[in-house]
Amino acid sequence: KNMSQTWEDTLNYLKWYEKVLASPTYGTYTCVELMNTYKDHGDMVNWEKYCRYAAEHFNDVQFPKLLVQEYIHQGKNDEAIKRCDEMAKLYPTEIYFVETKALMTFNDKKYKEAVDMFKKLIEIDANYGRAWTSLGTCYYQIAMENRNNIA
């Protein structure tokens, strides 16, 4: 056999990786390897399983971000928003989760709800220009809706 083994051989190999997950030294690396291997083989169920594991067991904000991105990619917007809400509470100074939810809300044309989220971003970082720009765009969209409702 050459180094490019069959998927069944790879699955047997991955069982050894799973034994290392609890390691404080190698656990994060092991999760990334498991996630990459499963994703490369199109097994998103196991990819998500290990991404969730990493998000819950390692204090690394990148794993929840990956999970949210994957939910959006799969069209699971409700799940992405739910995870954004959870992670915004866990990481209150992290812009990504509030901004992602705000942009999704804006894209759903829920401008009044998005205003509050962009204001929250400004509370996190008053110098975050994209939040100010997006807030202005929300107000513009609300004004246009109001104008159209009058006509």
Side-chain angles (χ1 to χ4, degrees):
K1 279 187 185 178
N2 62 22
M3 291 304 287
S4 60
Q5 303 169 343
T6 65
W7 180 234
E8 291 76 25
D9 292 336
T10 302
L11 288 173
N12 288 329
Y13 168 72
L14 292 178
K15 290 176 186 173
W16 293 100
Y17 263 65
E18 291 175 1
K19 295 177 186 276
V20 184
L21 281 175
S23 166
T25 306
Y26 300 108
T28 303
Y29 170 78
T30 301
C31 260
V32 170
E33 286 298 313
L34 287 165
M35 289 166 53
N36 288 338
T37 301
Y38 283 115
K39 189 168 188 171
D40 288 347
H41 284 54
D43 184 347
M44 296 311 293
V45 171
N46 277 311
W47 179 89
E48 184 177 331
K49 171 185 164 184
Y50 289 106
C51 193
R52 281 182 172 276
Y53 179 90
E56 293 167 6
H57 290 86
F58 306 115
N59 188 21
D60 186 340
V61 72
Q62 297 308 313
F63 291 107
K65 286 181 181 180
L66 285 172
L67 197 54
V68 168
Q69 290 167 5
E70 187 59 34
Y71 285 143
I72 292 168
H73 177 73
Q74 292 179 17
K76 297 178 179 178
N77 291 349
D78 290 342
E79 191 65 34
I81 287 173
K82 177 182 168 190
R83 182 57 66 154
C84 283
D85 287 339
E86 292 170 3
M87 293 299 109
K89 290 175 187 167
L90 191 58
Y91 300 98
T93 60
E94 176 62 49
I95 286 174
Y96 176 82
F97 301 107
V98 177
E99 182 174 40
T100 299
K101 182 179 177 184
L103 292 171
M104 292 176 73
T105 303
F106 178 87
N107 289 337
D108 286 341
K109 299 184 186 325
K110 299 176 184 174
Y111 305 118
K112 291 178 183 175
E113 289 178 44
V115 163
D116 294 333
M117 292 174 216
F118 288 118
K119 285 181 178 179
K120 176 67 178 166
L121 280 173
I122 293 166
E123 287 175 25
I124 295 170
D125 182 355
N127 295 315
Y128 191 49
R130 192 158 140 181
W132 286 102
T133 303
S134 297
L135 180 62
T137 304
C138 281
Y139 283 131
Y140 172 79
Q141 292 295 337
I142 291 167
M144 293 304 291
E145 283 181 345
N146 290 340
R147 186 179 122 196
N148 290 337
N149 289 337
I150 294 172

